């Protein structure tokens, strides 16, 4: 932390910074201080340690700050408060990612969310190589991990951008300078205005729609902001969740987008939820190819009409080795492959290693046939019909024990389980499990080497 202290010593404090930090609800502040000469700070801002967050307490200073630093990815949030000081603080956040700790994972408070870096990196490289070899592009879905640092590593490996499911995910990732595709339609002027404002700020954003009214909302917001928003038509290829049917209605929607002054038609989205989770290799292949096959005539008709429908984006971790051989598919949206979970392991087998686990502690061992760990409903997603899988411990059966408790029935354990033991578990479903945590501990062997924050913290 010496670099943080050095950065803060660069400025002369005015005091009262702790009270100001509390007023804006800062969490995990490492150090902070209020600075009297705001213009001097702005003039020398580049000397400050990467990861600075600011609270601006004056409208004039806020404008100066915006002019000085623009939209640099290293910056956090700006809040205009009362007073005339510039408050600078540094905290553990996705802007100060990769903070080395070199402690043992067994020293962590449990339950704790872990990622094994060796497995994680191998998973990223395997998917990127496979997609590139197929002549397609990888746009991994960030909803699986909600972590800026993971998206950065996927981009570094060769991804063309990422997918997001929510506007908040879009905001975290565009703030980090990463291009995003919002794969979910929105139907609120509040959201379309917010997205248009992000585009105006220079963010690389694409969106999808499945209804003409959504296109109208985007057009109005884009016109007010003076921007053009790239847009895809979201196709329903069998799930009836979102998407417009693959018929003349989809063609008409694409034409409407192309004819809008502030929208740009850039392709089609065709994602099969059911295809990604169909069990059986042959069955999954048949399902996925049939589902995506519904989108291909729409793509061909639009191309023949002179519309830019070259992009056909979709696919998943469950169909990664199927959709990469469909010629018309250009973009793969797989999301879970870096982390993996018990559900996908049942579908794709050992194609990708389980890199994400939850570390728990045996907190009760009063009975010879069972133990209780400190990880229950609040530690794992519960949307699957099965529980987490113990790592390196066979012959046990999981039972949900409540909010903070999980029960392991010791039917024929492969080794003794004692009070205080640490056990790692592969979650049933990675996406909503990550959503329960605000940080991920990245490990090599038993050592925690980095801490990655999630959900824009």
């Amino acid at each position: 932390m010496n670099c943080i202290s050095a950065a803060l010593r660069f400025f002369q404090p005015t005091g009262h910074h702790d009270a100001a930090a509390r007023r804006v609800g800062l969490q995990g502040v490492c150090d902070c201080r209020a600075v009297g000469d705001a213009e001097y700070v702005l003039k020398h801002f580049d000397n400050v340690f990467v990861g600075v967050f600011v609270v601006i307490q004056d409208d004039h200073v806020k404008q100066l700050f915006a002019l000085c630093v623009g939209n640099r990815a290293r910056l956090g949030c700006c809040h205009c408060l009362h007073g005339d000081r510039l408050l600078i603080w540094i905290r553990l956040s996705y802007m100060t990612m990769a903070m080395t700790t070199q402690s043992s994972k067994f020293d962590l408070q449990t339950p704790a969310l872990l990622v094994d870096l060796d497995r994680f990196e191998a998973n990223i490289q395997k998917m990127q190589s496979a997609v590139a070899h197929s002549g397609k592009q990888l746009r991994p879905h960030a909803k699986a991990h909600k972590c800026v640092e993971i998206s950065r590593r996927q981009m570094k490996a060769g991804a063309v951008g990422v997918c997001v499911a929510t506007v908040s995910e879009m905001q975290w990732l565009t703030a980090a300078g990463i291009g995003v595709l919002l794969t979910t339609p929105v139907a609120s002027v509040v959201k379309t205005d917010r997205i248009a404002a992000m585009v105006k700020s220079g963010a690389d954003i694409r969106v999808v729609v499945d209804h003409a009214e959504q296109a109208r909302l985007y057009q109005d917001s884009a016109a007010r902001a003076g921007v053009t928003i790239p847009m895809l038509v979201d196709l329903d290829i069998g799930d009836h969740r979102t998407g417009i049917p693959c018929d003349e209605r989809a063609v008409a929607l694409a034409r409407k987008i192309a004819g809008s002054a502030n929208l740009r038609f850039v392709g089609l989205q065709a994602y099969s939820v059911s295809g990604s989770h169909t069990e059986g290799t042959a069955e999954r292949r048949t399902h996925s190819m049939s589902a995506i096959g519904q989108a291909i005539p729409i793509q061909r008709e639009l191309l023949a009409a002179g519309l830019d429908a070259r992009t056909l984006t979709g696919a998943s971790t469950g169909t990664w080795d199927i959709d990469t051989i469909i010629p018309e598919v250009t973009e793969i949206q797989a999301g879970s492959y870096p982390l993996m979970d018990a559900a996908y392991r049942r579908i794709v087998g050992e194609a990708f290693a389980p890199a994400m686990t939850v570390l728990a502690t045996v907190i009760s061992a009063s009975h010879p046939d069972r133990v209780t760990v400190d990880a229950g409903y609040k530690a794992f997603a519960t949307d699957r019909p099965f529980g987490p899988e113990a790592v390196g411990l066979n012959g046990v059966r999981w039972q949900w024990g409540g909010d903070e408790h999980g029960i392991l029935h010791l039917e024929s354990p492969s080794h003794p389980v004692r009070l205080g033991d640490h056990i790692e578990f592969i979650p049933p479903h990675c996406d909503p499990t990550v959503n329960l945590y605000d940080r991920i501990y990245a490990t090599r062997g038993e050592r925690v080497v980095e801490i990655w924050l999630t959900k824009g913290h």
Side-chain angles (χ1 to χ4, degrees):
M1 304 299 287
N2 290 339
C3 52
I4 294 178
S5 299
L8 289 167
R9 283 197 299 270
F10 183 77
F11 306 112
Q12 179 64 37
T14 65
H16 309 295
H17 50 280
D18 290 336
R22 285 195 296 272
R23 283 204 303 275
V24 295
L26 298 183
Q27 303 262 334
V29 174
C30 297
D31 199 354
C32 61
R33 62 188 58 193
V35 179
D37 189 349
E39 295 195 27
Y40 177 80
V41 171
L42 297 176
K43 181 179 178 182
H44 296 86
F45 193 82
D46 282 328
N47 291 355
V48 180
F49 175 70
V50 171
V52 156
F53 276 55
V54 298
V55 171
I56 300 174
Q57 300 178 292
D58 177 84
D59 283 325
H60 170 64
V61 177
K62 184 176 182 179
Q63 293 170 2
L64 287 174
F65 184 83
L67 290 172
C68 177
V69 301
N71 297 304
R72 298 181 192 176
R74 63 185 177 147
L75 301 177
C77 304
C78 300
H79 301 276
C80 191
L81 304 174
H82 299 294
D84 60 356
R85 291 189 304 277
L86 177 68
L87 173 69
I88 292 183
W89 79 92
I90 298 177
R91 66 171 184 165
L92 181 64
S93 68
Y94 69 77
M95 298 301 176
T96 55
M97 211 65 70
M99 184 174 107
T100 302
T101 61
Q102 294 298 332
S103 60
S104 170
K105 65 184 180 182
F106 300 119
D107 292 333
L108 297 172
Q109 293 189 54
T110 57
L113 190 64
L114 311 180
V115 165
D116 181 292
L117 281 171
D118 293 332
R119 293 183 170 193
F120 168 83
E121 290 164 356
N123 288 345
I124 286 182
Q125 187 57 49
K126 180 173 183 177
M127 179 65 81
Q128 185 63 54
S129 296
V131 173
H133 186 262
S134 73
K136 305 186 188 303
Q137 295 180 319
L138 180 62
R139 187 183 288 272
H141 217 307
K143 74 180 181 67
H145 52 71
K146 290 180 176 285
C147 179
V148 173
E149 179 62 19
I150 291 178
S151 289
R152 285 194 179 115
R153 289 169 184 246
Q154 291 172 314
M155 294 290 292
K156 185 176 181 181
V160 295
V162 301
C163 295
V164 297
T166 66
V167 176
S168 58
E169 291 169 355
M170 173 183 285
Q171 189 165 5
W172 310 330
L173 288 155
T174 56
I178 297 171
V180 303
L181 165 63
L182 177 63
T183 60
T184 305
V186 302
S188 153
V189 67
V190 173
K191 290 185 177 181
T192 56
D193 277 352
R194 188 175 173 189
I195 291 167
M198 284 189 270
V199 173
K200 188 176 181 66
S201 73
D204 177 8
I205 289 173
R206 295 183 169 202
V207 300
V208 305
V209 296
D210 64 6
H211 194 281
E213 179 61 16
Q214 296 161 357
R216 186 193 65 78
L217 288 172
Y218 271 117
Q219 166 58 33
D220 291 348
S221 295
R224 285 192 292 272
V227 299
T228 298
I229 299 178
M231 182 172 291
L232 296 85
V233 170
D234 182 26
L235 298 174
D236 179 2
I237 55 174
D239 294 316
H240 310 319
R241 183 174 72 175
T242 68
I244 193 167
C246 295
D247 55 29
E248 68 279 358
R249 289 168 285 184
V251 175
L253 181 55
R255 290 181 180 277
K256 178 178 177 62
I257 294 166
S260 299
N262 295 85
L263 305 178
R264 179 164 58 92
F265 177 71
V266 294
L268 302 168
Q269 175 175 267
Y271 174 69
S272 174
V273 184
S274 53
S276 65
H277 292 283
T278 296
E279 295 190 10
T281 301
E283 293 83 357
R284 192 164 58 257
R285 182 180 301 276
T286 299
H287 188 296
S288 187
M289 297 190 76
S290 174
I292 294 177
Q294 300 175 64
I296 294 173
I298 304 299
Q299 183 188 40
R300 289 174 178 167
E301 183 172 348
L302 293 173
L303 288 170
L307 276 69
D308 187 4
R310 289 172 295 175
T311 294
L312 179 58
T313 182
S316 68
T317 297
T319 59
W320 72 282
D321 56 346
I322 300 168
D323 300 334
T324 47
I325 64 173
I326 299 176
E328 291 82 1
V329 173
T330 60
E331 231 178 47
I332 304 299
Q333 293 185 2
S336 299
Y337 69 93
L339 305 178
M340 290 303 290
D341 54 36
Y344 264 129
R345 278 169 59 78
R346 295 182 179 206
I347 293 170
V348 301
E350 302 299 321
F352 299 96
M356 185 181 80
T357 58
V358 171
L359 180 69
T361 304
V362 176
I363 59 170
S364 181
S366 299
H367 304 281
D369 63 342
R370 71 189 65 193
V371 297
T372 301
V373 299
D374 59 353
Y377 293 130
K378 293 181 179 178
F380 301 100
T382 60
D383 61 322
R384 295 290 186 253
F386 46 84
E389 298 177 0
V391 176
L393 177 59
N394 300 320
V396 297
R397 177 172 55 85
W398 174 271
Q399 177 188 334
W400 296 106
D403 289 354
E404 282 83 19
H405 304 96
I407 297 169
L408 273 187
H409 293 270
L410 308 177
E411 296 176 339
S412 55
S414 53
H415 61 77
V417 181
R418 301 181 177 87
L419 186 70
D421 282 355
H422 288 94
I423 303 175
E424 290 183 57
F425 294 91
I426 302 170
H429 189 183
C430 60
D431 306 32
T433 295
V434 170
N435 197 51
L436 299 172
Y437 295 84
D438 63 4
R439 67 196 60 198
I440 299 170
Y441 295 95
T443 65
R444 291 203 189 274
E446 294 185 2
R447 311 304 296 177
V448 177
V449 297
E450 298 181 23
I451 301 172
W452 303 337
L453 283 238
T454 64
K455 297 182 288 185
H457 288 93

